[in-house]
Every structure is written in C-alpha cells, then in structure tokens.
Amino acid sequence: MHLQQTKHASRASGGPQYYFHDVPDHVKEFLRRRGACPVVLQTPYGIATSKLIAVGRDHKLSGAQVLRGNVGHDRIVAGGRRSIGEEIRYWYGIDDGDFETIDVEVTIHSKGHFIVVPTGVKMRARKREIKLERMSAPLSFHHDHQSKLWREQISTIRDKAAADVAWASAQINRVVAENRASDARHILEADLLRAAGALSIFGVELSPYLGKGYDCVKSTIQFLKLPIYPCPVEIKKRSQGFTYQVAKYKELPRVLVLCMDHDYINPPEHVDIVALSTLAEYLSH
C-alpha cells in the first residue's frame, strides 16, 4: 500500500496531494463507511496527533463538514499547513524535495483512530528508496525490552558527556536504592520525580506533577537529532498500577509510564514503560 504524490509541479494551485493506491479491503470499507476521519501518524517515537484527514473516494470536505463527492480517490489531505509528506519529512528528518511515493501501513485502532505508519519513501530526485524503521515500543526500557532508540540515545550522550551520564546514573541508582530499602513502604510514588534531573540528561523532560488526569501531561522527549515529541507521563511505583487509567482516559491512547519496577503483563499498544530499576542497572555497566 502506498501514497502517490500529485501536483508536484504546481504548488500554487493547492500544493501536493496524496492518493492511496493498493488499499486493503478493510481500509476501503472503513473509509467508505466513515467518509473522512482524522489521521494519527506513526513517528520514530510512537504515534502522534496531526491535522491530516483521510478522505474516502466518494466524499469531500467543505470546512468541517463531510459531504458526498465524486473525487474518485481515497486520499489524505492537509487539515493544517503541513501535508503528510511534510509531516513525515519533519519527524523522520528527510531532506527537502518532492516525494514520488510513500509506502505506508494503516491500522485502525479500537478507539477508531486511523493510524498511518510510513515504512519507506521514494523521492523524485533519488533512485533509491529511503527505508523508515518501525521500532517496537520505541520509548520502553525495562527488563523485557530495551528499545533501540533509548540505547542509541544513551550511547550518544555518553560519547558527548560521559561525566553527565555518570552523574545521572548515580542519581537514578540512589533513588532506586532508597525505594528498595526495608522502610520504604510508605514512600509515595511521586518520589520517583527525584530522578527528573537525571532523566533530563537523556532528553526526557517531565512537566509539573498534577493531581488530575495524567501525572505529567505536558512532558516532552527529544532523542538523537529527532524533533521534540510531546508525550504524557504517568508515575507509578509498579507499572501494573496503571491498569485503571487504560479504561478511564478516552483521548489518544499514547502515554509513557515511569515506574520503579515493571510488572504489567500485556500492556496496551502505544503504552510504553520505563522502569528506573532497569535503567539504573543498564547505566551502571
């Protein structure tokens, strides 16, 4: 399945448009039934909201209204200033130039989100396709899974600032040790926020701790040379304590759970987990 860029030679008449080709039946049926729906885009960090809109071939947009229309192509249109090609260029760090095709996979989340996953792009000025890696649980770091993105970020920071990494390691190890002490049962989960300064060394910036909704809802992450990624963070002593939020929160199903120990069996998709105990051990070696 791929998107074909059109109107590359005439940006003044509306800019590039992107039509679907080789669309699987389940995606066709979804678009025919819905007419149009917002697009959630997969980035190197995980899913992110966008102002893109997927529109079926028998519908068109008139402002915020979805109307019947004989366009003849399933497509993705820009609801804001950036087309899907420009969104992919932004998140994946692709050089300027017109796209010829964008290989994508589409999944329809149980909450109704239309998730577009780019897997490769072909530029008009290049012969070779650029492959886009799809990482599993890209922000997770615990005893079962240490993501490639995290490992590359730690290695990069260590090469640039070994002393900073040593300091961060000592801080995180201290928080872990004190939470593991025999008299630690009365320590509140918010105590994990003492590791915030150390985490910032690696590009994880925790926002203020709130008493409603996600704990640190305006947190951001920036790894390697990628752009800043906004992602809410939930603070838990043990990751299995997050189960009630799964049913409670109805917005985009994306969150990072920061915990002391990971024991959540089969966490939902798009919920990444960082266990400070595992991160402390990894940094110590």
Side-chain angles (χ1 to χ4, degrees), residues 14-258:
Q17 298 179 3
Y18 294 85
Y19 292 162
F20 278 115
H21 292 267
D22 304 322
V23 183
D25 289 341
H26 74 282
V27 176
K28 287 181 183 178
E29 292 170 3
F30 181 82
L31 283 176
R32 304 290 188 272
R33 184 172 66 253
R34 293 284 293 269
C37 64
V39 169
V40 175
L41 183 65
Q42 180 78 19
T43 78
Y45 297 106
I47 58 173
T49 57
S50 76
K51 293 187 177 180
L52 303 169
I53 303 171
V55 185
R57 69 178 185 183
D58 301 322
H59 292 81
K60 64 181 181 180
L61 298 177
S62 178
Q65 286 187 306
V66 181
L67 306 174
R68 300 291 296 183
N70 189 24
V71 177
H73 291 281
D74 300 313
R75 60 207 184 278
I76 291 182
V77 301
R81 290 180 296 176
R82 291 202 297 235
S83 67
I84 187 169
E86 290 161 334
E87 287 282 356
I88 290 171
R89 190 193 316 281
Y90 171 78
W91 284 110
Y92 289 86
I94 297 172
D95 294 337
D96 288 341
D98 281 312
F99 293 88
E100 184 173 325
T101 59
I102 302 172
D103 292 333
V104 298
E105 298 173 3
V106 170
T107 60
I108 301 169
H109 194 269
S110 60
K111 292 183 180 291
H113 299 290
F114 190 87
I115 302 175
V116 174
V117 184
T119 59
V121 298
K122 176 69 174 65
M123 311 299 291
R124 293 188 183 276
R126 298 186 184 182
K127 293 182 179 180
R128 293 185 178 180
E129 181 183 28
I130 302 171
K131 294 293 185 181
L132 304 179
E133 184 175 4
R134 180 179 183 177
M135 296 186 189
S136 174
L139 294 181
S140 284
F141 202 95
H142 51 75
H143 56 76
D144 291 328
H145 180 80
Q146 295 96 49
S147 83
K148 179 179 179 181
L149 191 60
W150 256 108
R151 288 184 281 112
E152 288 183 349
Q153 174 70 353
I154 292 171
S155 178
T156 298
I157 300 300
R158 181 172 273 142
D159 288 344
K160 292 181 178 179
D164 289 347
V165 173
W167 176 85
S169 175
Q171 295 299 308
I172 294 173
N173 272 279
R174 179 168 62 87
V175 172
V176 170
E178 291 172 353
N179 274 264
R180 289 275 175 80
S182 59
D183 59 348
R185 62 185 180 276
H186 298 302
I187 296 178
L188 301 178
E189 64 183 20
D191 185 69
L192 272 63
L193 294 173
R194 288 192 294 141
L199 291 171
S200 70
I201 296 293
F202 302 105
V204 179
E205 297 287 350
L206 299 180
S207 63
Y209 185 86
L210 306 177
K212 181 180 179 182
Y214 289 132
D215 292 330
C216 304
V217 71
K218 293 186 178 181
S219 299
T220 62
I221 298 165
Q222 186 172 28
F223 284 173
L224 307 176
K225 295 182 179 180
L226 298 171
I228 295 173
Y229 179 69
C231 184
V233 174
E234 184 74 8
I235 309 297
K236 293 292 175 188
K237 274 199 169 185
R238 309 188 74 86
S239 59
Q240 68 175 357
F242 180 70
T243 52
Y244 80 94
Q245 283 96 337
V246 173
K248 182 177 179 181
Y249 298 122
K250 305 297 184 183
E251 297 179 0
L252 186 69
R254 183 62 175 138
V255 67
L256 174 66
V257 178
L258 177 65

